Amino acid sequence: MCFSVRLWLHARRAPVEIEAFQPSGILTLPTIAATNIQSSRFTLEAAYAVHFLRGAFDDYAWLPDEMVPARIAVVIDENVAVAHPGLFDRIRRWAARHAPALQLIDIRTIAGGEAAKAGWPVIEDLGGWIRDHKLCRHSYLIAIGGGAVLDAVGFVAATAHRGLRLVRMPTTVLSMNDSGVGVKNGINGFGTKNFWGAFKVPDLVVCDYDFLPTLDQRTWVSGLAEAFKVGIIKDRDFLDWLCDHVCELRNREAEAEAHMIERTAQLHMAHICAGGDPFEQGTSRPLDFGHWSAHRLECLTDFSLLHGEAVAIGVALDLRYAARVRLIEKADCDRVVGALRAVGLPTTHTLLQTDFQAVWQGLDEFREHLGGELSIALPNPLGSVTNLNALDRSLVEQLAAEQP
Ligand SMILES: NC(=O)c1ccc[n+]([C@@H]2O[C@H](COP(=O)([O-])OP(=O)(O)OC[C@H]3O[C@@H](n4cnc5c(N)ncnc54)[C@H](O)[C@@H]3O)[C@@H](O)[C@H]2O)c1
Ligand SMILES: [Zn+2]
C-alpha cells in the first residue's frame, strides 16, 4: 500500500491534532493528544583565514595566538612526503621552536590520491590513531596533501569525537584554488564520488607555493579546470585573463600561477560566504558546473582520469550545450574550449561516444546528491550563471558524439 502522512502541529500547549492525509482514502489515524512543543533556534558564525605564502615551516606567523597552546598531529599525503624528503624534520623543528605552546603529538602519512578516499579502512585507521594518541576536540589535525587526502582527513576531523580542529595545507593547484579552501569533506562509497561526507569549517588554511614544483605536469594542469569553471560562471574578466595567459599557465610561471590560484580561491570563498547557502541545503550549485558528467567519468574510468581532467571534459560538454541552446555565443564557447585544450586539458573522452548511457546516468546520481530536484548550472552569458531543471538528452548525446 502506498500512502503518505502529513502532520499538522497546531497550538503550543493545547493538545495537538495529528491528521492523516490519504490520497487513496484508505488510511485513518485516530486523533491523539501530543505533548508540549518547544522550538530551538541558534545562529552559527564561521570565520577562517586562508594564507598564501612560501616556506610555511620556516615561519610561525600563520598560526594565530588564539590557536595556541595546541596539541598538533600531522597527516601527510604519502606522495608529498616522498617528494619533499625533509618535510618531517622541518615540521619537527618548527614545532620544537614553538614548544611548549605547540605540542607535536605525531606525524604520519596516508596513501595519496583517490586511494585516500577509497572507503572506510583509511578512516578507521586514522580514527584508531586519533584514539591511541588521545587527540580530542581541542587538538588540531594538520592535513598536508592533495584534495583527496584533504577530503579524507577533513572527514575524519569532522566526525572523530564529533569534531577535531582542522588546519588544511593543500599541496596541489586544485586543492589550493578550490577544494582546500572550502567546507566540504568526504570519501567515495558504492561506486559514487563523495557518497559519505560532512561539512566542516576549517580553522585555518595555509597554501604554501613551495609544494607545487614537485607536482607532475598532468596533475598541475588538472587544477586549471576549476579556475576555468569558476571563471565561466562567476567572472568573465578572469576567464578572459585565463584565455589570454595559456602559455604562462602551461609553463607554470610563478606570477601567473599565483594570480590564477588566488583569484580562483577568492571566487570559491566568496560564493561560500556570500552565496547564502554554505552548507548546500538548496539545490542550486553553481560551483558544480560541469560536474555531473565529471564525477561519473572519474568513477567509470576507475579514477585513471584525474578530477580536474574530468571537470575539463564536463565543462567543455556543458559549455557546448550552453552554446547550442543559445545561452552563450558560439565564438565564446570555441575560444574557451580552445584555451582548455591549449593549456593541456582534455575536452572529450571515448566513453562519451562508446558508453553514453553510462555517463548519462551521472545525471541521476547528481539529482540524488542534490536532494531529488535536478539543477544544472550553465553560463548565461559567460561570467554569470543560470540553472536548468533538465537537459535535452538527445542534444547532449549528439554533442558527446562530436569531437570538440
Ligand atoms: N571538498 C571539495 O570541495 C572538493 C572540491 C574539488 C575537488 N575535490 C576532490 O579533490 C580530489 C582531487 O584533488 P587533487 O586534484 O588535489 O588531486 P589528488 O589529491 O588526487 O592528488 C593528485 C596526485 O598528486 C599527489 N600530490 C599531491 N601533492 C603533491 C605534491 N606537492 N608533489 C607531488 N605529488 C603530489 C597525490 O598524492 C596524488 O597522487 C578529488 O577527490 C575531488 O573529488 C574536493
Ligand atoms: Zn571539482
Side-chain angles (χ1 to χ4, degrees):
M1 187 198 303
C2 173
F3 63 86
S4 64
V5 179
R6 269 194 216 148
L7 305 180
W8 282 274
L9 300 175
H10 302 289
R12 304 205 79 206
R13 288 198 168 271
V16 174
E17 207 167 85
I18 301 178
E19 300 172 26
F21 169 71
Q22 325 156 39
S24 59
I26 299 168
L27 176 78
T28 311
L29 284 184
T31 300
I32 57 169
T35 52
N36 183 17
I37 299 164
Q38 308 281 341
S39 61
S40 63
R41 180 189 181 90
F42 57 87
T43 306
L44 285 176
E45 190 171 304
Y48 56 98
V50 179
H51 295 249
F52 296 91
L53 47 68
R54 290 186 184 279
F57 293 111
D58 302 337
D59 191 305
Y60 189 55
W62 52 268
L63 201 59
D65 289 347
E66 64 269 19
M67 281 182 62
V68 290
R71 298 178 81 230
I72 284 178
V74 184
V75 184
I76 307 178
D77 184 316
E78 211 162 72
N79 296 323
V80 175
V82 169
H84 297 262
L87 185 57
F88 272 58
D89 285 344
R90 290 215 311 282
I91 296 172
R92 285 196 193 101
R93 283 199 299 272
W94 169 79
R97 269 202 306 279
H98 303 291
L102 271 195
Q103 195 189 342
L104 179 63
I105 305 298
D106 197 14
I107 310 177
R108 61 162 291 169
T109 59
I110 60 169
E114 219 54 35
K117 295 175 65 170
W120 294 99
V122 177
I123 303 304
E124 285 183 4
D125 178 30
L126 284 170
W129 176 73
I130 284 169
R131 185 203 51 205
D132 292 348
H133 286 297
K134 301 190 178 356
L135 300 175
C136 69
R137 286 189 196 171
H138 300 281
S139 313
Y140 287 90
L141 276 187
I142 299 187
I144 304 178
V149 163
L150 299 186
D151 271 4
V153 178
F155 183 51
V156 170
T159 49
H161 296 305
R162 297 204 180 95
L164 270 62
R165 294 174 178 175
L166 176 66
V167 176
R168 293 208 197 103
M169 206 171 272
T171 60
T172 61
V173 170
L174 187 139
S175 55
M176 289 188 190
N177 72 11
D178 180 344
S179 77
V181 302
V183 294
K184 293 195 279 184
N185 306 275
I187 58 169
N188 306 329
F190 306 110
T192 304
K193 282 285 288 187
N194 307 323
F195 181 85
W196 304 104
F199 291 97
K200 164 83 179 163
V201 181
D203 293 86
L204 185 68
V205 182
V206 179
C207 301
D208 182 346
Y209 288 129
D210 284 349
F211 280 114
L212 296 182
T214 56
L215 268 187
D216 61 71
Q217 181 69 6
R218 184 181 165 204
T219 311
W220 192 97
V221 163
S222 74
L224 287 172
E226 304 281 8
F228 277 92
K229 171 206 77 180
V230 80
I232 290 167
I233 51 161
K234 292 273 182 191
D235 185 343
R236 171 76 201 241
D237 289 345
F238 179 51
L239 178 64
D240 287 341
W241 181 90
L242 290 168
C243 293
D244 290 342
H245 290 79
V246 288
C247 290
E248 294 87 337
L249 290 168
R250 200 181 45 222
N251 295 333
R252 301 163 68 155
E253 289 180 16
E255 207 178 314
E257 175 184 75
H259 179 65
M260 177 272 294
I261 288 176
E262 287 166 33
R263 183 64 189 145
T264 307
Q266 248 174 26
L267 289 165
H268 279 111
M269 288 157 64
H271 179 79
I272 293 165
C273 294
D277 190 17
F279 300 133
E280 298 183 347
Q281 297 301 296
T283 48
S284 163
R285 299 276 179 82
L287 299 182
D288 278 349
F289 167 58
H291 278 59
W292 71 266
S293 55
H295 282 163
R296 188 75 181 134
L297 283 168
E298 282 183 86
C299 291
L300 288 172
T301 58
D302 208 13
F303 302 101
S304 64
L305 264 184
L306 299 175
H307 178 72
E309 292 173 330
V311 169
I313 295 164
V315 161
L317 181 63
D318 287 3
L319 202 59
R320 288 158 55 233
Y321 187 94
R324 286 292 281 274
V325 297
R326 298 180 186 279
L327 297 176
I328 62 171
E329 298 293 329
K330 181 168 183 315
D332 286 340
C333 169
D334 291 347
R335 178 171 182 242
V336 178
V337 174
L340 287 169
R341 267 203 308 272
V343 290
L345 285 164
T347 52
T348 187
H349 191 277
T350 46
L351 276 172
L352 286 174
Q353 289 103 43
T354 58
D355 201 354
F356 177 76
Q357 171 56 25
V359 179
W360 181 252
Q361 273 173 19
L363 213 54
D364 283 335
E365 284 176 7
F366 197 67
R367 188 196 325 265
E368 282 164 26
H369 197 67
L370 292 175
E373 195 185 327
L374 189 60
S375 177
I376 297 288
L378 289 179
N380 179 25
L382 281 184
S384 60
V385 71
T386 195
N387 291 297
L388 301 189
N389 297 120
L391 291 180
D392 176 343
R393 183 192 156 125
S394 61
L395 178 54
V396 179
E397 190 165 9
Q398 188 189 328
L399 292 166
E402 292 169 6
Q403 290 293 330

